[in-house]
């Protein structure tokens, strides 16, 4: 059974839903697809906040989209497109207000004086009482991160999905897009696999948006939800004509708990927590005598990994880790100021943070790279294809995303891309070649069916085994530290894994909505994605933002003020890489002012 | 207690497979430190039974995907530490919801349907003005709405509810809480009569038989029973007002 609509949005997280709402309000007929019920998308896990320069707080009274722009460009290590950053920071205030109008219970300004955990007093003005409040985030000059108590992502996700319900937008959950239906010039929708029945169905549409979120899980250890494995980026890469931008640009967070990789806020280090090694030694002062645990997110992650590599990690069935020690802060302080951390360790690890050590290690957190789009969200390479959110490289974040800018991107870009898709649908008057499209859809079903038959007939390799190896290679060789020789090894080993993935088989029957079959179908695309990350990192012989080359430790604006574009030509053995310049409109490259020379990125206290 | 031998008895059935019949299947795992049901289920799928279906997304108790019956009680698998369980662990899908397969049930569709029935959105509002400042709200009001907005739609309350098992149309504590959430929100302008129509029925507040299991099993500790009581009072008041209006109008008619 073929399903048709004007617009197909693949992914119902914050980005996908915001696109759908905008397009549907402008009269487009939209279908939203999601692996899971929309509200369970990983956007719901964002806790920290959403950046928008409302300037309602005393410590942000001078804030403006201009200041937000400067923070964003510096944060990106000049890797972003400045026209995009400008459009984003200008649009963010109205975008956050619109979500208030839809019902997000944003925390509000309470006038009067109060003492902060660090002993500083702030006084909020009477005049701003009841407007949307904001908190401080790392790498920002003002208090600008709007928040809804401790559940910003949850409240946004629910408010947006409520709008989707109100507008009666069709949501097909438990469906997975497995390939794009396209003819090398134009995208006509996607082939989906029904995760209830296992059935394959073509969804044909005049425009398709990919909003499938990040790829964290291909690293194995990630703060991302278990469904975030970059399958949407792989959909684009598998077309052979759509380029991914800056895939080597991957952000890590120093404190994911072990096991489980749940993120604990950087407030625990900000408030004076120590990092200890296997012998109980506080090692950060050895590497960073001045800033110690308070050095930037990237620096701390690197020191932790260096220390683990030197054999000082704590062995566990879940791999090596280090300890986070809050004990000296005392019960009162922990219960008052670090409640969230204490709850996570109690509920998921059974650890009492007041008396016990917390196992942590640096963990993949965010993908700045993704499907390269224009400022209007049009993917390069295929007409009728768009992308938004973490799956896209709109390019707001360059080589490092500021805390709070990602949730904001989903909402702001979602609105902009939704509008541009709706315009595209209105203006597009190219003849619909129904027969040709039906033929393409049939071919795509046939191809996937053939793959399934082959998998059922059983090769000797198992998806899970290969996938674990992919994760290990990425973590060890394409992680926080990178060197040319290791990246060469990574590309080689991943290519071998790609070759082995042609001989996949199943251990189970593979009937119905079998999860093993889903993994096996997804795997080759995921390995290609991994190779694309490794290859981009191998070729970029500089360090910029979170891309850190030990053999090229400095930013190199002469040769590398440019964006990596990688496609995977059909029948090719590896990605084909080109570059394009980044767009610089206002702010020429300079020092990021984070201390420690221009390289050592971002303020210490960026949260999530 | 690491190193315990754990015996899992897991419900298996795929209603879409004509050859499948409902059955219990045993799996054994050795306990590792700090293991949760999320880690255990993942290991079962990775090492023992790759076709096993269950739902996990956030593994951090925020997305509501993973509710199952653990030794008869509805719980979030991701937040259940094995340490707190005996050696024998029986896992069943949540009752009441439509079975997808094995431990996976369709809470998502049920909650979408509930959302539509209670009109889970800001009703009757002015158009949005992108150039205007946001409408002001006290932080206490925002916090109160947030408190009622914290539901993660996991379905534990409905699965634990005696009334729901007998009355499949019952909107459940989650549905009632959603209505309370919008009643608490000054931005929502739905007429009281609309609330009354949904709430004062057997599918609404009169479906509740007061067992309070919903609150006992809510993993988010939401104030379910107090909100149910609040809605009961509110509907009683509305009913009173309605009947007195009816009386007034009959009286008026009588005099005419
Ligand atoms: C723990 C954590 C905390 C964070 N905190 C913050 C924060 O405080 N502030 C901030 O700005 N950012 C934060 N981030 C980042 C931010 O939350 C995400 O980048 C953002 O929410 C991504 O939204 P999205 O809509 O692009 O993707 P997602 O929310 O991941 O949604 C992806 C959607 O695509 C669907 N999908 C995926 N693949 C397919 C497929 N093949 N077929 C069909 N559907 C598919 C999924 O079902 C889902 O609906 C945080 C991230 C994490 C992991
Ligand atoms: S997996 Fe999200 S609540 Fe358990």
């Amino acid at each position: 059974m073929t399903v048709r609509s004007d617009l197909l949005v693949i992914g119902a997280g914050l980005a996908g839903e915001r696109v759908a709402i905008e397009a549907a309000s402008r009269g487009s007929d939209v279908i939203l697809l999601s692996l899971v019920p929309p509200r369970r998308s990983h956007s719901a896990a964002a806790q920290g906040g959403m950046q928008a320069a409302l300037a309602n707080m005393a410590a942000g009274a001078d804030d403006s989209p201009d200041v937000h722009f400067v923070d964003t460009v510096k944060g990106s290590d000049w890797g972003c497109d400045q026209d995009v950053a400008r459009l984003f920071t200008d649009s963010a205030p109205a975008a956050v207000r619109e979500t208030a109008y839809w019902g997000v219970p944003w925390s509000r300004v309470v006038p009067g004086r109060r003492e902060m955990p660090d002993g500083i007093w702030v006084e909020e003005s009477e005049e701003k009482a009841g407007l949307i409040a904001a908190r401080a985030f790392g790498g920002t000059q003002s208090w600008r991160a709007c928040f809804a108590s401790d559940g910003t992502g949850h409240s946004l996700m629910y408010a947006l999905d409520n709008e989707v319900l109100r507008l009666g937008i069709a949501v097909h959950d438990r469906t997975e897009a497995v390939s794009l239906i396209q003819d090398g010039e134009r995208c006509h929708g996607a082939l989906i696999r029904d995760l209830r029945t296992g059935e394959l169905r073509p969804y044909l549409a005049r425009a398709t948006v990919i909003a499938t979120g990040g790829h964290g899980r291909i690293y194995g250890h990630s703060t991302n939800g278990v469904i975030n494995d970059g399958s949407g980026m792989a959909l684009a890469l598998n077309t052979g004509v759509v380029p991914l931008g800056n895939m080597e640009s991957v952000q890590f967070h120093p404190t994911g708990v072990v096991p489980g990789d749940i993120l604990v806020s950087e407030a625990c280090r900000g408030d004076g927590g120590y990092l200890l090694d296997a012998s109980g030694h506080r090692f950060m002062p050895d590497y960073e005598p001045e800033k110690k645990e308070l050095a930037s997110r990237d620096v701390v992650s690197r020191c932790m990994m260096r220390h683990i590599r030197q054999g000082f990690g704590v062995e566990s069935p879940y791999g090596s880790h280090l300890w986070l020690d809050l004990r000296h802060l005392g019960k009162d302080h922990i219960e008052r100021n670090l409640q969230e951390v204490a709850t996570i360790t109690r509920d998921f690890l059974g650890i009492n943070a007041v008396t016990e050590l917390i196992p942590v290690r640096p963990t993949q957190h965010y993908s700045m790279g993704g499907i390269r789009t224009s400022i209007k969200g049009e993917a390069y390479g295929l007409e009728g294809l768009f992308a938004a959110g973490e799956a896209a490289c709109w390019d707001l974040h360059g080589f490092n995303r500021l805390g709070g800018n990602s949730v904001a991107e989903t909402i702001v870009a979602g609105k902009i891309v939704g509008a541009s898709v709706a315009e595209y649908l209105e203006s597009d008057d190219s003849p619909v070649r129904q027969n040709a499209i039906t033929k393409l859809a049939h071919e795509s079903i046939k191809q996937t069916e053939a793959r399934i038959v082959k998998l059922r007939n059983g090769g000797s390799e198992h998806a899970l085994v290969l996938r674990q190896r992919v994760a290990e290679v990425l973590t060890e060789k394409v992680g926080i530290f990178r060197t040319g020789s290791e990246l060469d090894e990574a590309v080689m080993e991943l290519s071998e894994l790609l070759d082995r993935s042609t001989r996949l088989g199943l251990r189970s029957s593979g009937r119905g909505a079998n999860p093993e079959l889903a993994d096996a179908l997804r795997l080759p695309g995921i390995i290609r994605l991994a190779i694309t990350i490794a290859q981009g990192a191998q070729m970029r012989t500089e360090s910029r933002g979170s891309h850190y080359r030990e053999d090229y430790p400095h930013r190199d604006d002469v040769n590398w003020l440019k964006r990596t574009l990688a496609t995977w030509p059909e029948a090719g053995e590896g990605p084909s890489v080109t570059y394009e310049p980044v767009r610089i409109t206002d702010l020429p490259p300079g020092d990021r002012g984070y201390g420690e020379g221009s390289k050592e990125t971002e303020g210490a206290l960026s949260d999530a | 207690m690491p190193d315990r031998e754990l015996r899992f008895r897991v419900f298996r059935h795929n209603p879409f497979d004509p050859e499948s019949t409902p059955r219990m299947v045993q799996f054994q795992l050795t306990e590792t430190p700090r293991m949760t049901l999320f880690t255990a289920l993942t290991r079962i799928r990775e090492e023992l039974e790759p076709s096993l279906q269950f739902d996990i997304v956030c593994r951090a108790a925020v997305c509501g995907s993973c509710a199952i019956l653990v030794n008869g009680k509805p719980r979030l698998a991701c937040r259940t530490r094995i340490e707190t369980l005996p050696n024998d662990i029986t896992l069943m899908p949540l009752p009441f919801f439509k079975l997808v397969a094995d431990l996976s049930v369709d809470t998502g569709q049920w909650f979408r349907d509930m959302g539509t029935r209670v009109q889970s959105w800001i009703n009757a509002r002015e158009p949005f003005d992108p150039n205007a400042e946001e409408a002001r709200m006290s932080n206490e009001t925002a916090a109160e709405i947030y408190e009622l907005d914290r539901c993660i739609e996991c379905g534990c309350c409905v699965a634990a509810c005696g009334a729901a098992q007998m009355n499949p149309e019952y909107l459940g504590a989650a549905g009632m809480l959603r209505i309370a959430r919008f009643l608490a929100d000054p931005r929502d302008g739905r007429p009281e009569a609309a609330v009354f129509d949904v709430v004062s029925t057997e599918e609404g507040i009169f479906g509740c038989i007061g067992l309070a299991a919903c609150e006992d099993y809510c993993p988010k500790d939401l104030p379910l029973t107090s909100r149910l009581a609040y809605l009961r009072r509110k509907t009683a008041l509305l009913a009173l007002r309605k009947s007195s209006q009816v009386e007034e109008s009959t009286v008026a008619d009588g005099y005419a």
Side-chain angles (χ1 to χ4, degrees):
Chain A
M1 185 191 66
T2 303
V3 182
R4 285 171 212 277
S5 58
D6 285 345
L7 173 59
L8 179 66
V9 181
I10 307 172
L14 287 175
E17 291 215 323
R18 187 63 191 84
V19 169
I21 290 168
E22 191 64 24
S25 319
R26 290 165 185 257
S28 311
D29 145 49
V30 186
I31 296 180
L32 263 169
L33 299 184
S34 173
L35 300 172
V36 296
R39 292 171 193 226
R40 315 226 189 278
S41 302
H42 203 59
S43 286
Q47 293 185 323
M50 163 171 178
Q51 299 268 359
L54 295 177
N56 291 336
M57 304 304 280
D62 300 329
D63 200 18
S64 68
D66 267 342
V67 184
H68 189 186
F69 169 81
V70 171
D71 286 346
T72 301
V73 175
K74 284 189 178 172
S76 79
D77 220 354
W78 278 270
C80 71
D81 272 341
Q82 295 188 9
D83 54 347
V84 169
R86 178 66 71 186
L87 175 65
F88 163 77
T89 56
D90 283 349
S91 314
V96 71
R97 287 184 178 124
E98 189 168 30
T99 64
Y101 169 79
W102 288 334
V104 174
W106 292 111
S107 296
R108 300 293 174 138
V109 178
V110 180
R113 264 162 71 80
R114 71 196 155 114
E115 193 183 1
M116 303 305 295
D118 55 8
I120 292 174
W121 285 84
V122 289
E123 177 158 8
E124 301 304 343
S125 77
E126 204 56 64
E127 186 202 330
K128 301 281 185 183
L131 295 176
I132 296 173
R135 55 161 70 128
F137 252 27
T140 65
Q141 300 173 54
S142 306
W143 290 20
R144 186 191 300 127
C146 309
F147 61 101
S149 296
D150 56 359
T152 303
H154 167 88
S155 288
L156 275 166
M157 196 67 245
Y158 273 55
L160 258 67
D161 197 47
N162 285 340
E163 278 302 294
V164 167
L165 279 177
R166 187 180 73 81
L167 293 166
I169 296 172
V171 171
H172 296 194
D173 67 357
R174 292 183 187 268
T175 54
E176 173 169 359
V178 292
S179 65
L180 294 179
I181 297 173
Q182 49 92 20
D183 53 22
E185 273 165 22
R186 206 182 156 123
C187 183
H188 304 286
L191 180 69
I192 71 97
R193 181 164 172 267
D194 186 318
L195 300 180
R196 291 184 177 83
T197 62
E199 188 197 353
L200 295 173
R201 275 198 301 275
Y203 277 60
L204 297 180
R206 290 200 290 132
T208 305
V209 180
I210 299 182
T212 47
H215 63 50
R217 284 285 154 176
I218 65 174
Y219 273 80
H221 296 293
S222 167
T223 60
N224 292 190
V226 301
I227 60 170
N228 289 66
D229 59 9
S231 65
M233 299 175 189
L235 288 180
L237 193 61
N238 287 342
T239 62
V241 290
V242 177
L244 304 183
N246 279 350
M247 289 309 293
E248 65 271 29
S249 179
V250 181
Q251 188 173 69
F252 295 83
H253 196 285
T255 48
V257 301
V258 181
D261 309 298
I262 300 172
L263 179 140
V264 295
S265 143
E266 292 188 10
C268 52
R269 289 185 295 117
D271 277 21
Y274 298 152
L275 289 167
L276 310 182
D277 64 17
S279 57
H281 172 63
R282 182 181 172 201
F283 59 90
M284 277 307 296
D286 304 348
Y287 298 99
E288 287 289 324
E290 241 167 70
K291 294 200 167 170
K292 309 184 181 77
E293 282 84 355
L294 292 177
S296 77
R297 193 189 271 196
D298 289 10
V299 175
V300 174
S301 295
R302 273 181 224 130
C303 296
M304 289 171 79
M305 283 316 288
R306 195 166 282 149
H307 210 62
I308 291 178
R309 272 181 174 186
Q310 289 169 4
F312 297 115
V314 185
E315 293 310 317
S316 84
Y318 314 102
S320 308
H321 62 75
L322 295 158
W323 299 113
L324 173 67
D325 187 3
L326 303 179
R327 297 171 304 179
H328 55 284
L329 300 177
K331 189 166 186 279
D332 279 0
H333 184 91
I334 293 175
E335 281 173 5
R336 204 176 45 240
N337 298 320
L338 297 170
Q339 185 62 51
E340 266 174 60
V341 182
T343 309
I344 289 175
T345 60
R346 184 194 66 215
D347 287 355
F348 298 96
L349 305 174
I351 285 175
N352 178 350
V354 178
T355 56
E356 292 171 86
L357 297 173
I358 305 162
V360 293
R361 85 180 137 220
T363 302
Q364 192 285 351
H365 184 50
Y366 185 81
S367 164
M368 279 73 75
I371 299 162
R372 177 65 183 142
T373 72
S374 70
I375 194 167
K376 292 167 78 182
E378 302 142 317
Y380 289 15
L382 273 186
E383 210 193 315
L385 182 65
F386 298 74
E390 194 173 336
C393 178
W394 190 30
D395 208 351
L396 174 65
H397 310 299
F399 278 80
N400 178 61
R401 165 184 75 90
L402 287 190
N405 257 2
S406 172
V407 159
E409 178 191 9
T410 62
I411 303 292
V412 173
K415 185 177 163 86
I416 292 166
V417 176
S420 91
V421 177
E423 268 168 34
Y424 169 83
L425 286 168
E426 263 169 45
S427 65
D428 168 51
D429 50 9
S430 53
V432 181
R433 296 171 299 119
Q434 212 46 261
N435 290 346
I437 297 171
T438 312
K439 202 165 149 241
L440 280 173
H442 274 293
E443 274 165 25
S444 75
I445 296 183
K446 279 231 178 71
Q447 268 174 14
T448 305
E449 274 173 349
R451 286 183 66 200
I452 293 176
V453 169
K454 191 169 165 223
L455 287 166
R456 286 209 186 112
N457 290 338
S460 54
E461 299 284 2
H462 292 301
L464 210 87
V465 176
L466 299 194
R467 200 178 154 148
Q468 263 162 11
R469 193 56 209 144
V470 171
E472 282 161 19
V473 173
L474 284 177
T475 302
E476 285 162 20
K477 297 179 176 162
V478 200
I480 293 171
F481 289 113
R482 300 165 175 191
T483 62
S485 56
E486 284 192 332
L487 290 165
D488 286 339
E489 287 167 27
V491 172
M492 253 172 56
E493 193 171 345
L494 291 168
S495 306
E496 278 162 28
L497 291 168
L498 182 62
D499 179 52
R500 285 171 65 186
S501 76
T502 57
R503 298 185 291 280
L504 284 181
L506 302 178
R507 284 179 286 188
S508 60
S509 73
R511 272 210 301 271
N514 181 300
E516 190 188 20
L517 179 61
D519 274 343
L521 285 173
R522 228 177 280 140
L523 187 72
I526 282 176
I527 304 181
R528 280 187 206 115
L529 199 62
I531 296 175
T532 307
I533 298 171
Q535 184 75 58
Q538 191 270 349
M539 292 170 76
R540 185 172 285 274
T541 49
E542 66 156 352
S543 289
R544 186 181 293 271
S546 57
H547 170 68
Y548 186 76
R549 286 282 300 253
E550 286 179 295
D551 43 356
Y552 296 93
H554 299 290
R555 197 175 83 196
D556 173 0
D557 290 329
V558 176
N559 296 301
W560 288 105
L561 201 56
K562 56 189 183 188
R563 181 175 303 107
T564 309
L565 295 178
T567 48
W568 194 290
E570 215 175 327
E573 290 186 350
S576 140
V577 175
T578 57
Y579 295 92
E580 67 174 7
V582 298
R583 285 196 294 276
I584 294 175
T585 55
D586 296 60
L587 203 62
D591 185 12
R592 299 165 90 196
Y594 292 159
E596 304 186 347
S598 72
K599 176 72 246 343
E600 303 291 55
T601 53
E602 182 197 6
L605 291 179
S606 126
D607 213 332
Chain B
M1 286 171 285
D3 296 338
R4 278 192 303 166
E5 281 305 315
L6 305 167
R7 278 180 304 274
F8 291 90
R9 292 180 64 236
V10 180
F11 174 86
R12 300 219 56 196
H13 178 46
N14 183 349
F16 295 101
D17 179 352
E19 287 166 35
S20 169
T21 48
R23 62 204 184 278
M24 297 301 290
V25 177
Q26 287 239 15
F27 300 103
Q28 285 208 346
L29 284 182
T30 308
E31 186 172 8
T32 53
R34 302 191 287 268
M35 197 177 194
T36 62
L37 265 182
F38 157 59
T39 7
L41 284 167
T42 308
R43 273 186 56 197
I44 292 177
R45 182 143 87 192
E46 290 182 352
E47 297 166 22
L48 304 169
E49 183 43 77
S51 68
L52 183 68
Q53 280 180 251
F54 55 86
D55 295 320
I56 299 258
V57 179
C58 72
R59 52 79 181 95
V62 296
C63 79
S65 298
C66 65
I68 51 176
L69 289 186
V70 183
N71 290 338
K73 309 222 157 75
R75 307 183 64 162
L76 296 180
C78 70
R79 209 180 62 180
T80 302
R81 288 184 298 114
I82 297 288
E83 224 175 44
T84 63
L85 300 175
N87 299 0
D88 289 291
I89 301 163
T90 302
L91 303 179
M92 300 282 292
L94 286 190
F96 182 79
F97 299 101
K98 189 164 173 236
L99 181 69
V100 174
D102 303 338
L103 299 176
S104 170
V105 296
D106 222 333
T107 44
Q109 283 304 334
W110 188 87
F111 276 95
R112 284 202 95 65
D113 181 46
M114 178 279 275
T116 307
R117 284 163 72 198
V118 306
Q119 304 203 342
S120 170
W121 51 81
I122 302 284
N123 266 262
R125 58 201 188 188
E126 301 290 311
F128 175 66
D129 176 358
N131 299 316
E133 196 176 73
E134 63 271 25
R136 292 182 193 236
M137 179 187 278
S138 77
N139 196 48
E140 291 87 69
T141 307
E144 188 192 339
I145 300 168
Y146 179 74
E147 176 66 8
L148 304 176
D149 201 41
R150 288 192 304 115
C151 170
I152 58 172
E153 302 195 345
C154 63
C156 285
C157 60
V158 185
C161 171
Q165 314 309 313
M166 294 179 298
N167 175 4
E169 297 302 312
Y170 180 41
L171 285 162
M176 294 301 107
L177 185 77
R178 187 62 52 83
I179 290 170
R181 181 246 175 270
F182 284 97
L183 284 177
D185 196 326
R187 295 167 291 199
D188 187 72
R190 71 187 74 198
E192 284 198 327
V195 181
F196 185 82
D197 286 347
V198 183
V199 176
S200 70
T201 60
E202 288 297 313
E203 292 155 27
I205 200 68
F206 300 126
C208 171
I209 49 178
L211 299 177
C214 49
E215 188 156 312
D216 294 345
Y217 289 104
C218 174
K220 287 292 174 184
D221 298 324
L222 290 164
L224 296 173
T225 47
S226 77
R227 290 300 96 181
L228 284 161
Y230 163 78
L231 284 179
R232 198 171 288 122
R233 282 198 307 275
K234 178 119 188 150
T235 29
L237 264 169
L238 282 171
L240 212 67
R241 214 177 298 157
K242 234 185 173 174
S243 64
S244 63
Q245 273 165 6
V246 173
E247 267 166 38
E248 269 167 34
S249 62
T250 15
V251 174
D253 282 351
Y255 275 101

